Amino acid sequence: MLIPHDTRIALDTVVDLMNTAPEGGRGETLGDVPSLYAFVESHRVSGVGELGPQDLRAVREVRSRFAEVFAAPDARTAAGLINQLVAAAGTTPQLTDHDGYDWHVHYFAPGASVADHLAADCGMALAFILVAGERERLRRCEAPDCGRAFVDLSRNRSRRYCDSRTCGNRLHVAAYRARRKEAAAG
């Protein structure tokens, strides 16, 4: 699946945003305005001005809407959720080439809030996945104590864990130990 660099960046951003939510024993990592600034800076979200508590609330709301898209039971439901997100953000597509990146499309309106920026750009990245018929690539980690979001970009859509070095390896080791224990007892 060929994904343009701006879409890939937006997909990474939506996944990272979703994974700031308190889930599976993890606490809230987008707990205050400084953590929102850190998120915006680490993801190089452009055109963001002064942030305040209202921005934090709005970004958390967008985050929960993205979680609904990942949990949608079918493509039609996911499409409706994405349409709502993108429309509410006041999408205004425009071509840009900044920060060393070649031409790409920004979907947020000039001067948009950080929440609208994320809703527009990340929502359109999710729309790209849906239009490509690849909604099943929007997943949650299958490790029982995890549930982190990820986009499965493996060739055969076989990825099951958010990170094979942590969740995947941990479960494989546990299964191996259980088999050895059973063999020793039998």
Side-chain angles (χ1 to χ4, degrees):
M1 170 174 208
L2 181 61
I3 299 175
H5 81 276
D6 53 322
T7 302
R8 178 60 193 257
I9 289 168
L11 289 171
D12 290 344
T13 301
V14 72
V15 164
D16 290 348
L17 178 61
M18 287 176 56
N19 289 334
T20 65
E23 271 187 60
R26 292 184 322 269
E28 173 71 65
T29 58
L30 202 57
D32 53 22
V33 174
S35 64
L36 179 57
Y37 271 114
F39 181 87
V40 164
E41 184 178 310
S42 70
H43 290 84
R44 299 176 67 186
V45 179
S46 60
V48 175
E50 191 72 26
L51 298 174
Q54 73 283 359
D55 294 299
L56 181 61
R57 282 189 299 278
V59 168
R60 285 180 176 170
E61 176 58 31
V62 166
R63 177 182 70 186
S64 70
R65 302 297 303 274
F66 286 143
E68 290 174 21
V69 171
F70 270 65
D74 54 53
R76 184 163 307 284
T77 303
L81 293 165
I82 293 168
N83 284 340
Q84 290 171 6
L85 260 168
V86 171
T91 306
T92 307
Q94 55 189 324
L95 285 167
T96 184
D97 66 339
H98 62 87
D99 298 328
Y101 292 110
D102 203 358
W103 289 104
H104 60 280
V105 180
H106 279 188
Y107 295 96
F108 58 93
S113 70
V114 67
D116 285 346
H117 179 134
L118 292 169
D121 273 3
C122 295
M124 290 305 296
L126 293 174
F128 174 85
I129 294 294
L130 195 68
V131 166
E134 302 287 351
R135 187 183 68 84
E136 70 276 3
R137 291 183 183 272
L138 306 178
R139 298 203 175 147
R140 292 288 189 157
C141 183
E142 291 181 18
D145 58 343
C146 184
R148 290 174 59 91
F150 67 94
V151 178
D152 178 6
L153 296 178
S154 66
R155 181 173 294 177
N156 62 358
R157 299 175 193 91
S158 62
R159 190 169 156 200
R160 297 174 49 205
Y161 307 109
C162 64
D163 186 346
S164 60
R165 291 174 305 216
T166 55
C167 289
N169 191 46
R170 189 168 30 97
L171 289 174
H172 290 120
V173 168
Y176 171 77
R177 288 180 180 158
R179 286 192 305 273
R180 288 201 53 192
K181 184 177 180 179
E182 185 178 302

